[in-house]
């Protein structure tokens, strides 16, 4: 049922059954030369409320036939902008910012229209909704393109965006698309093998002086090591009441306009754990030197729990919180799990990156995790390709049958029916 719906969306949104849904968009300057391009697969998964008061999710890919009208190369006064309009009033927009040596994505905006009943059947609130965020993407040397084959997740409120096979370049001069890639953390070998970093001694919270393949002439942003996975627990008396395993990274900006992002990994061995357990709210507090991260969980409808609040303070540098989040939802009596590296927007100035996440903030029994509920990112990996292949096979079978029937008719017409 779900798969059928997604296939339908695929076809309607314009991806061929056999071709991949990778999208390539280019923006041209006054001389008709490429100044900006993006090549990627982008999957949106959106939670929305249906008229019977249930929550539903819709999942679809950015189609390959998008309109780039409204995109600009940018000049001295305006930023380069890639605006992709598709379907019934949906759009995905990225703009860029730069100085003389580096550039990066500034804001990602996604606009979706729940009047589109194909994508949002039964939506209770019909209208146009926008999620937008400054992003924590690294600085890219001018004249490099950003490359990320592995999936990266950006989660803003009800919208999960999964980017894969990404190549993007802005500020292209004279139409000369770069061959020099700046590879994302997710693609670098050290981050692919968790074992390498998990046991790395003395992981510093600041970027080490790792050299990369990029030219030495520009200040090259260094990859941040992946956070170590910690096993945290909260007890009441001698009974464990909250369990949380995770690698946790904070991306925060101390400036109002998010002009630069700082990254800190939580180092489990240096972390002091505390917290509270209640019937409908629980919390986990992690403290390391001058830094404090608090996660607050709540219960809704006596059946589900979710991450309701995140509270971060770094003495003298940064403090921010949001207490109306709805992330990491799962049934009470079970645990929520997400192995994939995910980037959650908490506030304009704060993102939380999680890795190997498993939490159970309520109803822990026998000091261990109960049954698990997987996150969207871990589930349904690549279900679209098998469907496409299945449909192609079906078409093939039909062609063979039709050919066979036609062949038989011919045969009987020409009187060769006795074999
Ligand atoms: C721009 O270049 C493309 C090929 O790169 C060509 O198809 C198109 O007609 C050109 N447009 C103009 C306005 O010159
Ligand atoms: C987002 O999700 C919340 C609950 O998770 C829901 O109340 C709200 O209506 C959703 N927003 C949109 C625009 O669908
Ligand atoms: C942009 O600025 C450069 C120098 O910074 C100048 O040479 C150029 O004429 C300006 N272009 C426009 C369109 O203003
Ligand atoms: C990018 O777009 C956002 C709004 O979508 C705007 O606030 C921001 O200033 C733009 N960035 C630049 C560098 O122009
Ligand atoms: C450009 O920005 C980067 C990172 O924010 C900084 O290291 C570099 O010094 C800046 N370069 C110039 C010329 O301002
Ligand atoms: C990590 O190490 C464990 C045992 O040391 C091994 O079972 C596991 O496969 C390794 N994982 C990876 C990704 O190498
Ligand atoms: C953390 O502590 C545990 C036990 O105390 C130890 O086995 C492990 O090696 C430590 N990890 C690091 C990175 O220091
Ligand atoms: C780790 O750090 C401690 C003190 O911070 C130091 O004594 C030790 O030698 C370091 N170990 C390694 C392998 O660098
Ligand atoms: C890396 O840092 C270490 C110690 O902090 C230093 O000895 C070494 O020279 C540095 N390497 C480079 C390439 O800067
Ligand atoms: C936990 O404490 C209760 C009393 O407070 C005691 O009866 C029980 O044996 C303790 N359990 C363990 C595992 O120590
Ligand atoms: C609350 O939970 C009950 C029982 O699972 C369910 O029937 C009902 O639809 C839920 N209500 C809401 C608003 O989610
Ligand atoms: C969770 O624990 C509460 C009491 O702490 C209990 O009332 C509730 O029935 C439990 N729920 C499940 C699903 O086990």
């Amino acid at each position: 049922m779900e798969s059928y719906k997604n296939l339908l969306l695929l076809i309607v949104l314009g991806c061929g059954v056999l071709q991949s849904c990778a999208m390539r968009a280019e923006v041209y300057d006054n001389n008709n030369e490429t100044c900006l391009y993006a090549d990627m697969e982008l999957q949106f998964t959106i939670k929305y409320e249906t008229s019977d008061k249930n929550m539903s999710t819709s999942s679809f890919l950015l189609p390959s036939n998008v309109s780039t009208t409204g995109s600009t190369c940018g000049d001295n006064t305006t930023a380069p902008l890639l605006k992709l309009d598709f379907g019934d009033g949906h759009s995905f927009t990225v703009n860029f910012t730069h100085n003389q040596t580096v550039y990066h994505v500034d804001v990602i905006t996604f606009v979706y229209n729940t009047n589109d009943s194909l994508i949002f059947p039964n939506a209770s609130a019909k209208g146009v909704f926008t999620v937008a965020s400054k992003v924590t993407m690294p600085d890219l040397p001018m004249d490099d393109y950003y490359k990320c084959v592995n999936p990266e997740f950006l989660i803003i409120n009800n919208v999960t965006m999964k980017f894969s096979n990404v190549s993007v370049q802005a500020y292209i001069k004279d139409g000369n698309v770069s061959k020099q890639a700046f590879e994302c953390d997710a693609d670098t070998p050290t981050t692919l093998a968790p074992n390498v970093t998990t046991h790395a001694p003395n992981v510093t919270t600041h970027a080490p002086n790792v050299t990369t393949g990029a030219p030495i002439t520009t200040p090259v942003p260094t990859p941040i090591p992946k956070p170590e996975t910690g096993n945290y627990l909260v007890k009441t008396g001698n009974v464990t009441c909250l369990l949380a395993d995770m690698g946790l990274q904070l991306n925060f900006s101390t400036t109002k306009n998010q002009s630069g992002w700082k990254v800190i990994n939580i180092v489990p061995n240096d972390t002091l754990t505390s917290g509270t357990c209640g019937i409908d709210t629980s919390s986990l507090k992690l403290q390391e030197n001058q830094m404090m991260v608090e996660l607050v969980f709540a219960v809704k409808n006596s059946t589900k729990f979710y991450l309701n609040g995140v509270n971060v303070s770094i003495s003298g540098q940064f403090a921010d919180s949001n207490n109306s989040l709805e992330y990491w939802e799962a049934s009470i009596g079970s645990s929520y799990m997400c192995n994939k590296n995910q980037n959650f927007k908490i506030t304009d100035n704060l993102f939380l990156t999680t890795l190997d996440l498993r939490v159970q903030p309520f109803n822990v029994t026998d000091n261990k995790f109960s049954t698990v509920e997987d996150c969207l990112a871990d589930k349904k990996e690549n279900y679209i390709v098998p469907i496409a292949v299945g449909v192609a096979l079906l078409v093939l079978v039909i062609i063979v049958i039709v050919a066979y029937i036609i062949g038989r008719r011919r045969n009987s017409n020409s009187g060769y029916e006795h074999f």
Side-chain angles (χ1 to χ4, degrees), residues 24 37-40 145-148 164-169:
R24 184 178 175 95
Y37 82 90
D39 205 335
M40 64 186 154
Y145 75 98
Y146 179 74
K147 176 164 177 257
C148 202
S164 27
N165 289 321
V166 175
S167 301
V168 181
Q169 191 186 358

Side-chain angles (χ1 to χ4, degrees), residues 45-47 92 107-110 112 130-135 153-161 163 325-327 343-348 351:
T45 303
I46 302 157
K47 274 198 306 182
F92 172 78
V107 175
I108 287 183
T109 308
F110 173 54
Y112 59 105
T130 301
V131 291
S133 185
K134 290 257 188 182
V135 295
F153 293 86
L154 174 64
I155 298 139
I156 311 175
N157 302 336
N158 296 359
V159 178
T160 300
M161 290 178 244
F163 298 86
L325 303 168
E326 289 197 28
Y327 293 141
N343 216 347
F344 293 91
K345 181 177 180 179
I346 307 301
T347 68
D348 285 344
F351 282 75

Side-chain angles (χ1 to χ4, degrees), residues 192-195 199:
L192 274 180
N195 283 357
H199 303 292

Side-chain angles (χ1 to χ4, degrees), residues 32-45:
N32 197 24
E33 284 174 332
T34 305
C35 65
L36 168 59
Y37 82 90
D39 205 335
M40 64 186 154
E41 284 164 45
L42 170 51
Q43 184 184 355
F44 299 99
T45 303

Side-chain angles (χ1 to χ4, degrees), residues 283-345:
S283 69
L284 173 68
K285 198 186 230 182
L286 304 175
Q287 280 169 287
E288 183 191 325
N289 299 325
Q290 302 298 302
M291 174 168 62
M292 189 281 294
V293 181
E294 188 182 27
L295 307 177
V296 180
F297 299 89
V299 168
K300 69 172 157 197
N301 193 20
S302 316
T303 55
K304 300 268 186 183
F305 70 81
Y306 60 98
L307 177 68
N308 186 212
V310 171
N311 202 337
V312 171
S313 69
I314 301 160
S315 182
Q317 267 199 75
F318 180 78
D320 211 349
S321 65
N322 183 343
N323 295 305
S324 55
L325 303 168
E326 289 197 28
Y327 293 141
W328 308 0
E329 188 177 302
S331 302
I332 293 201
S334 66
S335 57
Y336 173 87
M337 183 159 98
C338 204
N339 287 319
K340 290 268 163 58
N341 190 330
Q342 298 199 101
N343 216 347
F344 293 91
K345 181 177 180 179

Side-chain angles (χ1 to χ4, degrees), residues 176-197:
N176 295 322
V177 168
S178 178
K179 290 191 174 61
Q180 174 72 46
F182 181 93
E183 292 188 22
C184 64
D185 286 356
D187 285 0
T188 56
T190 52
T191 57
L192 274 180
N195 283 357
V196 177
T197 47

